[in-house]
Amino acid sequence: MAKAAFDTQAPLWSLKGVSFSYGHETVLQEIDLQLFPGKSYGILGPNGSGKTTLLDLLSGISQPSSGSIHFIDKSLHKWSHRDLARTLALVPQDFMVRFGFTVQETVEMGLHPHLHRFGSPSEQDCRLIEQTLEDTGIAHLAQRSITQLSGGEKQRVAVARALTQQTKVLLMDEATSNLDIHHSLEILHLVRQRFLAGNIHLVSVMHDLNLAAFFCDEIIFLKQGKVVHMGPTEEVMTAEIVEQVYQVEAQVQHNPFTECRQVSFRLPQKNEAV
Amino acid sequence: MQNRRKAILFVSLHATLLAALMALAATMGFLSVSVSDVLQIVTGKVFRLPFVDIDPVAISVVADVRLPRIAGAVLVGGILGVSGAVFQAILLNPLADSYTLGISTGAAFGASLVIVMQLFGLVLPPAISIPLFAFLGGIGTLILVLYLASGDRRLSSTSLILAGVIVSAILSAAIGFLKFLADEQVGIIIFWLMGSLSGISWQNVLLLMPAACIGSILAFFFSRDLNIMATGERAASALGVNTVRLRLILLAGCTFMTALAVSVAGIIGFVGLIVPHLLRHLAGPDNRLLIPLSFFAGGILLLIADTITRAVLPAEVPIGVLTALLGGPFFCILFKRRQQDGKSGF
């Protein structure tokens, strides 16, 4: 239903000369980027390369120090907080909940941008929450206090809440970094299914190159605050680029078992280099 | 749906208990007055009905002395309870209370300054000047804290708490200096700092009432946003909560009513810390329920403490001392029990 709302040719975001700095420290430098609908984007790069900052800029949480960001039909800073939250959801990396809300209450917060200030969830909303808890595999935790959950369980709550927000765009910041392989694949599969059905557009910060190869159509490689490579996964997930970005030795193969690219890597062998 | 019913039940239970305690407190004191007489005096005063069979002394004791003090205790307690709940939610810190950002220290500094100036011969009407300076001191402190924390554009809780701690430390030193200047008259300052509800008049109540209403309604209005704040600043922004604006509005609102409460009653500790804590334990962390409950429970706690010091104890103990002495051990027991249940935090 959602896809028709967007012009599939026009970019979702277009960034022109975007820089961001904390005080004197420049985190992102002169980024020019266009992200189109209908593709699953992955943002990759070594620690401190500005991945999360870029995601914050895309989600409107931070404003660029210079340059402009256009989102769908207008400049990102012209979007009202509420409209933006109805269009775009974020699964943050650090999902820390201070007080003992139950899992159900936390997921229900996803309805916030859709509800009137003193409104309560409708029958339909309640069914949506139930279904989302089921889909993310946390229905059995619904009445548990979120402060008592493990890191992986919390991450699934964060994903469930973002899905409850019913947005067209989903941003994920290392949403599977605390999950075991089964749950990682399950969450990514769930999100990817919705993406393939045309219900959501995706941008994810990823750490695991092999999960990124499975999950993303397009990869943006960041290094030291700059976009160093960007393109379809088959074109940019190559040994040379991985070696250059991460300073490791790498091999990339097509794995017939997963039907994805698979990267293996090791630290540079110094003896050979000499 | 089930939650809404629970909320209505909890709130009406607290409100009823508070009303009953207010009526009971009005009967207690040096002169004992029956509950029915108290009710007749209240309805008589409100609707201007003639009094039947009541001692005129009882009428003036209840209507002019006890009732304003009782109303004052409830309002001050309610203000401290609500602002404690809000500060804990805004600062993402269950150890915060209405005084964490130094508002009380600022108010104390303002009051001590006037007291010292009077000792040095400056003539100001103390009935107005002490509350006024205390209020200005509290508001001024918030402005200073906001200015210090504003270098961080997100106005994060860490910056706010840190700025509050710095400003409080400086003001505490300044208060120490004023005490030193006051020399033998230092008792006046110390007595003010410990808080008292004994001087509350109907004028004070009329001042506190609209502040308590506006501040509490404001806090309730943003209660769902406060819930979302508990899941972190980035997550809250992504859900459409304007975190900076929310912090500014609620800090201003709560500081305003807290500064007013402090200017009337002095520094009464522990209510703002313990009331939201206890309620979170009883009724859950949902601010939509926690904020109205904090008002009633804060009022109940301070009314009980004030009635004990006014009518039960042989001599008046400063109310700030009593709330800490009553609340402290209770808090310890609760804290220990939570640890045994395997829940270290709140």
Side-chain angles (χ1 to χ4, degrees):
Chain A
M1 48 142 201
K3 219 163 186 179
F6 292 128
D7 180 349
T8 44
Q9 299 306 309
L12 276 175
W13 282 275
S14 72
L15 281 70
K16 288 202 187 92
V18 169
S19 300
F20 185 85
S21 42
Y22 289 108
H24 294 294
E25 196 184 335
T26 307
V27 183
L28 290 174
Q29 266 179 59
E30 293 289 319
I31 305 256
D32 290 300
L33 205 59
Q34 287 196 323
L35 303 183
F36 291 89
K39 285 182 178 146
S40 166
Y41 286 91
I43 302 175
L44 278 77
N47 294 334
S49 56
K51 302 185 293 287
T52 296
T53 307
L54 181 57
L55 210 62
D56 277 354
L57 291 176
L58 293 178
S59 61
I61 292 175
S62 306
Q63 270 72 50
S65 314
S66 63
S68 69
I69 302 178
H70 197 84
F71 180 60
I72 301 178
D73 58 351
K74 55 180 178 269
S75 183
L76 189 57
H77 71 261
K78 289 201 177 127
W79 282 76
S80 75
H81 286 252
R82 194 178 165 88
D83 283 346
L84 199 58
R86 287 172 167 180
T87 312
L88 179 154
L90 170 77
V91 181
Q93 186 183 4
D94 47 342
F95 195 61
M96 286 255 302
V97 182
R98 280 312 170 95
F99 302 105
F101 289 95
T102 64
V103 168
Q104 170 125 20
E105 283 171 328
T106 312
V107 173
E108 214 176 278
M109 290 177 194
L111 297 170
H112 180 73
H114 299 283
L115 289 180
H116 180 265
R117 185 161 290 282
F118 296 108
S120 20
S122 66
E123 287 277 310
Q124 201 187 344
D125 292 333
C126 293
R127 274 202 302 277
L128 171 79
I129 290 168
E130 232 167 86
Q131 187 61 48
T132 316
L133 287 171
E134 203 67 57
D135 288 347
T136 44
I138 49 173
H140 63 293
L141 302 172
Q143 297 311 318
R144 284 268 293 276
S145 162
I146 191 143
T147 49
Q148 295 169 25
L149 301 187
S150 73
E153 288 166 334
K154 266 187 222 170
Q155 247 171 351
R156 282 185 277 158
V157 174
V159 172
R161 188 169 83 165
L163 292 176
T164 310
Q165 227 173 311
Q166 307 157 69
T167 56
K168 313 246 162 65
V169 182
L170 183 63
L171 304 175
M172 298 202 289
D173 192 356
E174 294 181 23
T176 57
S177 59
N178 283 328
L179 297 180
D180 58 53
I181 42 173
H182 176 82
H183 284 117
S184 296
L185 289 175
E186 210 171 57
I187 289 290
L188 291 180
H189 190 71
L190 171 71
V191 173
R192 186 150 177 88
Q193 265 184 331
R194 300 200 174 191
F195 164 73
L196 289 174
N199 290 336
I200 48 175
H201 306 281
L202 286 170
V203 181
S204 344
V205 166
M206 308 275 282
H207 243 318
D208 188 318
L209 291 170
N210 291 314
L211 279 180
F214 152 76
F215 187 62
C216 305
D217 308 324
E218 297 257 336
I219 305 262
I220 301 161
F221 276 111
L222 287 180
K223 193 179 181 184
Q224 291 169 347
K226 287 180 184 153
V227 176
V228 283
H229 290 283
M230 178 181 175
T233 309
E234 308 84 66
E235 287 173 27
V236 296
M237 191 68 94
T238 61
E240 298 82 60
I241 291 179
V242 170
E243 287 184 353
Q244 184 210 337
V245 172
Y246 289 96
Q247 278 155 345
V248 291
E249 288 181 1
Q251 283 189 342
V252 179
Q253 288 144 346
H254 181 81
N255 185 332
F257 177 61
T258 57
E259 296 180 346
C260 289
R261 291 192 154 231
Q262 190 175 353
V263 189
S264 347
F265 31 77
R266 61 177 187 189
L267 279 174
Q269 305 293 299
K270 279 181 186 147
N271 301 343
E272 287 171 34
V274 172
Chain B
M1 294 305 108
Q2 191 199 348
N3 282 342
R4 188 157 282 200
R5 209 172 298 150
K6 182 180 108 182
I8 292 171
L9 182 74
F10 260 111
V11 172
S12 44
L13 209 68
H14 276 75
T16 319
L17 182 62
L18 180 62
L21 283 173
M22 285 172 80
L24 186 67
T27 66
M28 293 167 71
F30 183 68
L31 181 81
S32 184
V33 186
S34 71
V35 176
S36 66
D37 283 358
V38 167
L39 292 179
Q40 203 194 333
I41 291 166
V42 172
T43 48
K45 283 282 178 188
V46 172
F47 301 109
R48 304 191 182 287
L49 301 173
F51 296 110
V52 198
D53 283 345
I54 301 182
D55 180 2
V57 179
I59 296 176
S60 92
V61 163
V62 170
D64 301 331
V65 181
R66 285 185 196 167
L67 283 179
R69 183 162 173 173
I70 287 167
V74 169
L75 287 171
V76 169
I79 286 173
L80 293 177
V82 169
S83 60
V86 171
F87 275 90
Q88 288 176 4
I90 284 184
L91 299 175
L92 298 173
N93 192 330
L95 288 179
D97 71 355
S98 358
Y99 302 151
T100 304
L101 295 186
I103 296 157
S104 58
T105 326
F109 175 75
S112 317
L113 193 66
V114 178
I115 295 171
V116 169
M117 286 197 308
Q118 278 163 353
L119 293 179
F120 281 88
L122 192 82
V123 185
L124 287 167
I128 301 168
S129 62
I130 293 181
L132 185 69
F133 270 68
F135 179 72
L136 293 178
I139 299 286
T141 306
L142 178 76
I143 293 170
L144 192 60
V145 167
L146 284 178
Y147 168 73
L148 283 178
S150 64
D152 163 10
R153 271 189 292 176
R154 282 188 199 165
L155 213 61
S156 73
S157 55
T158 326
S159 311
L160 284 171
I161 293 177
L162 208 59
V165 168
I166 296 168
V167 174
S168 304
I170 297 170
L171 287 170
S172 299
I175 293 171
F177 182 65
L178 289 175
K179 281 183 187 165
F180 167 74
L181 286 180
D183 207 12
E184 283 175 7
Q185 305 287 325
V186 71
I188 310 174
I189 296 181
I190 292 176
F191 193 73
W192 192 89
L193 291 181
M194 285 193 294
S196 167
L197 291 159
S198 60
I200 286 191
S201 63
W202 280 118
Q203 278 94 325
N204 293 143
V205 172
L206 284 179
L207 204 65
L208 286 172
M209 181 79 92
C213 287
I214 293 168
S216 304
I217 288 170
L218 197 68
F220 182 65
F221 188 77
F222 288 107
S223 52
R224 206 168 71 205
D225 306 60
L226 283 176
N227 285 351
I228 294 171
M229 282 284 274
T231 62
E233 279 158 56
R234 292 176 72 220
S237 299
L239 267 175
V241 176
N242 187 341
T243 53
V244 173
R245 196 190 64 175
L246 180 72
R247 284 206 164 111
L248 278 178
I249 290 176
L250 289 180
L251 281 179
C254 287
T255 302
F256 180 76
M257 64 178 183
T258 306
L260 213 57
V262 171
S263 73
V264 170
I267 297 170
I268 300 172
F270 239 69
V271 179
L273 176 69
I274 200 174
V275 163
H277 256 306
L278 280 177
L279 291 172
R280 225 176 262 124
H281 190 57
L282 280 173
D286 189 341
N287 286 296
R288 286 173 289 183
L289 180 55
L290 195 65
I291 284 171
L293 282 188
S294 291
F295 183 85
F296 292 114
I300 290 171
L301 180 65
L302 200 56
L303 179 61
I304 292 176
D306 186 52
T307 308
I308 290 175
T309 176
R310 176 176 65 83
V312 179
L313 295 180
E316 276 210 21
V317 174
I319 184 89
V321 174
L322 199 66
T323 50
L325 281 180
L326 283 177
F330 194 45
F331 195 69
C332 291
I333 294 168
L334 193 73
F335 186 60
K336 250 353 221 181
R337 193 169 288 170
R338 296 274 302 184
Q339 282 178 331
Q340 279 158 8
D341 293 349
K343 301 170 192 166
S344 52
F346 277 82

